[in-house]
Amino acid sequence: MRPTGPVSRIGTSLMAVTATATAVAVTAMGLAASPAAAAPTATTAPRPGDTCTAADLGTRHPYLRTTEVSPAITHFKGWYVTEGTTGSQTVSTSTETTISVSVGLDSKIESSFAVETLGTVGASLGLSVKAEYSSTGSVSNSVTWNFGQPGYYGVYKGTRKVTGTYGSLNCNRVQQGGDSWALKWIEGPGGGSFTTFTTLEEGAVRCQDDVPAGSVVAKAQDLLDCGSAAAKAEYPAGEVAPTAKQGRDGLAQRPALTGGTPAERPEATGPSAQAALTCEPGAYKIAVPGTPLSWGAPLLAADGVRLRPSTIFSAHLDNWRLCNVTENNGVLEASLWNWGNGGCATIAAPDAATERAVLMTVTCAEDDLQRFHVYRDVPGSSKIGVQSKYTGSMMGHDRYADGEFIRQYSSGRQDGTGTYTLIGV
């Protein structure tokens, strides 16, 4: 059985590899046969330019590009206390702002990458922030407060809203100059924005109170609109109608959808016709290093890519070609076409946002769900990591076993089971 379709070479990105009956060939993409030396692993969160090891090729980590912390009032009520109504009272406030935790456009915060992103935010800022899904809209709006003096109060709940943007760090080979190479954490594709918040605080504040600038209580005092006629008027004890400023600020603070790249929030794509692929001349096994199991495509469309042994009965289901190959900053991007079933590897659109979704094969199409980034070890090693372009997740497997699915993991497999070897056949 032979692959069909046009074939071309792209510079030196990949080298054709042949095999003999007695020897395993060198891998594609300028990789030779001897293993690379391991680099030390940092004990703290990696930063761009830090060293990584071959085991890190199948992993990724977030890093923060920007952060911003600002006070936000989530619940508020103007309240008037007279001489005869001082003491403890329970005030039902109105919702001013709803803050929901999100990473990209995903508010589930179920993936390890999203959790790690928020953990990095807290550690970087020295704040205790929500690192799981939460929303201030679900917070009880009643505040119990002991009013010691009469006057016009703003009764509030509030927090510090933390927003910013993040990027993705991936391990890849970097040329040091001449023939010297090293594995480094580089800025990979994917990124977006995040929103989280600190622990809520509550209280009551008057116009004449001296409060710290930039604090949550100062934000609540500002909502009192202390210079307005309404703030200076006399009221009976109890609720005070919202001032124009309170209504205006409440609307202005309501959250808009946070930004994010498609890699953070996949959208379903419709079917398209078979794509015409330009494939590299070699075919390859994507194997677990030093073992006989490699990626095997399914015969049945409903099945997924699994670890399988290569035998004379494999029917080329363990053979993959790299097609429509491009390279950017040393990172390859390609479609993975299977010689045995004629399909392209993909993460199914309905499961694209799902941690541990199974890698499938479908009819080849012009679809980013079928595009993968390939991270390479230094020349002399065949080890690679594979990342879905669209979801940002790394490919890996739960355990080494015949029949085990290849799945996507948002941060990759930190035990090194997301590092594979690309072996020419």
Side-chain angles (χ1 to χ4, degrees):
M1 183 174 181
R2 286 294 192 193
T4 60
V7 174
S8 71
R9 297 176 183 269
I10 300 181
T12 58
S13 294
L14 299 170
M15 296 191 303
V17 183
T18 58
T20 67
T22 58
V24 176
V26 185
T27 69
M29 308 176 297
L31 306 179
S34 59
T41 303
T43 57
T44 57
R47 296 171 297 177
D50 286 351
T51 59
C52 53
T53 72
D56 295 317
L57 290 169
T59 66
R60 70 168 180 154
H61 294 279
Y63 79 97
L64 303 183
R65 291 174 175 149
T66 63
T67 57
E68 182 178 352
V69 182
S70 58
I73 301 302
T74 60
H75 303 78
F76 188 86
K77 179 74 72 176
W79 199 257
Y80 197 77
V81 177
T82 65
E83 285 288 354
T85 60
T86 56
S88 180
Q89 297 186 47
T90 298
V91 179
S92 293
T93 60
S94 299
T95 300
E96 284 290 308
T97 305
T98 298
I99 303 171
S100 296
V101 177
S102 64
V103 175
L105 292 182
D106 186 2
S107 61
K108 294 180 181 178
I109 317 299
E110 294 176 343
S111 71
S112 57
F113 186 82
V115 172
E116 186 180 357
T117 299
L118 296 177
T120 302
V121 171
S124 172
L125 298 175
L127 296 174
S128 177
V129 301
K130 300 292 183 182
E132 70 286 329
Y133 176 70
S134 184
S135 171
T136 60
S138 60
V139 174
S140 169
N141 67 352
S142 63
V143 175
T144 300
W145 197 254
N146 186 27
F147 296 94
Q149 298 178 2
Y152 176 45
Y153 286 85
V155 182
Y156 69 91
K157 287 188 178 182
T159 184
R160 283 181 283 180
K161 182 179 181 179
V162 184
T163 58
T165 59
Y166 64 89
S168 174
L169 288 182
N170 292 82
C171 183
N172 194 56
R173 70 183 189 183
V174 175
Q175 192 164 15
Q176 303 292 92
D179 295 329
S180 176
W181 295 78
L183 282 177
K184 301 280 188 181
W185 289 108
I186 65 166
E187 182 173 355
S193 60
F194 63 85
T195 299
T196 185
F197 58 92
T198 61
T199 303
L200 265 70
E201 57 185 80
E202 62 181 44
V205 63
R206 301 178 302 165
C207 291
Q208 61 267 41
D209 292 338
D210 187 17
V211 297
S215 63
V216 173
V217 64
K219 185 75 172 178
Q221 188 182 60
D222 184 56
L223 278 182
L224 277 174
D225 202 5
C226 293
S228 68
K232 298 174 183 177
E234 294 292 326
Y235 299 95
E239 179 179 350
V240 177
T243 66
K245 180 176 179 61
Q246 289 163 28
R248 184 173 63 250
D249 283 6
L251 290 174
Q253 292 181 33
R254 294 194 185 280
L257 286 176
T258 55
T261 66
E264 307 308 320
R265 182 61 176 270
E267 300 289 344
T269 56
S272 61
Q274 172 83 42
L277 299 177
T278 301
C279 298
E280 292 300 303
Y284 310 96
K285 293 178 184 178
I286 305 174
V288 178
T291 68
L293 299 185
S294 62
W295 290 18
L299 282 173
L300 302 177
D303 198 5
V305 178
R306 299 173 183 264
L307 290 179
R308 293 295 192 191
S310 296
T311 70
I312 59 173
F313 305 108
S314 296
H316 295 300
L317 290 170
D318 57 347
N319 293 170
W320 301 84
R321 296 180 69 190
L322 306 181
C323 304
N324 293 0
V325 179
T326 62
E327 183 172 352
N328 184 31
N329 293 330
V331 179
L332 294 182
E333 181 186 316
S335 297
L336 304 180
W337 180 81
N338 186 261
W339 189 346
N341 70 11
C344 283
T346 190
I347 297 296
D351 301 325
T354 304
E355 186 83 348
R356 300 182 67 253
V358 172
L359 187 67
M360 312 286 284
T361 56
V362 296
T363 300
C364 297
E366 295 294 332
D367 189 337
D368 277 349
L369 283 167
Q370 298 180 17
R371 300 289 288 172
F372 294 85
H373 297 293
V374 179
Y375 299 92
R376 296 171 285 177
D377 201 356
V378 298
S381 168
S382 61
K383 293 179 178 179
I384 62 168
V386 182
Q387 178 185 33
S388 168
K389 175 182 179 178
Y390 200 65
T391 70
S393 295
M394 310 299 296
M395 299 301 110
H397 54 274
D398 283 343
R399 73 183 196 279
Y400 178 74
D402 184 3
E404 184 68 18
F405 281 119
I406 302 300
R407 303 176 183 271
Q408 69 168 2
Y409 303 84
S410 59
S411 292
R413 297 286 292 170
Q414 302 300 317
D415 60 0
T417 51
T419 295
Y420 297 97
T421 54
L422 195 65
I423 303 173
V425 296

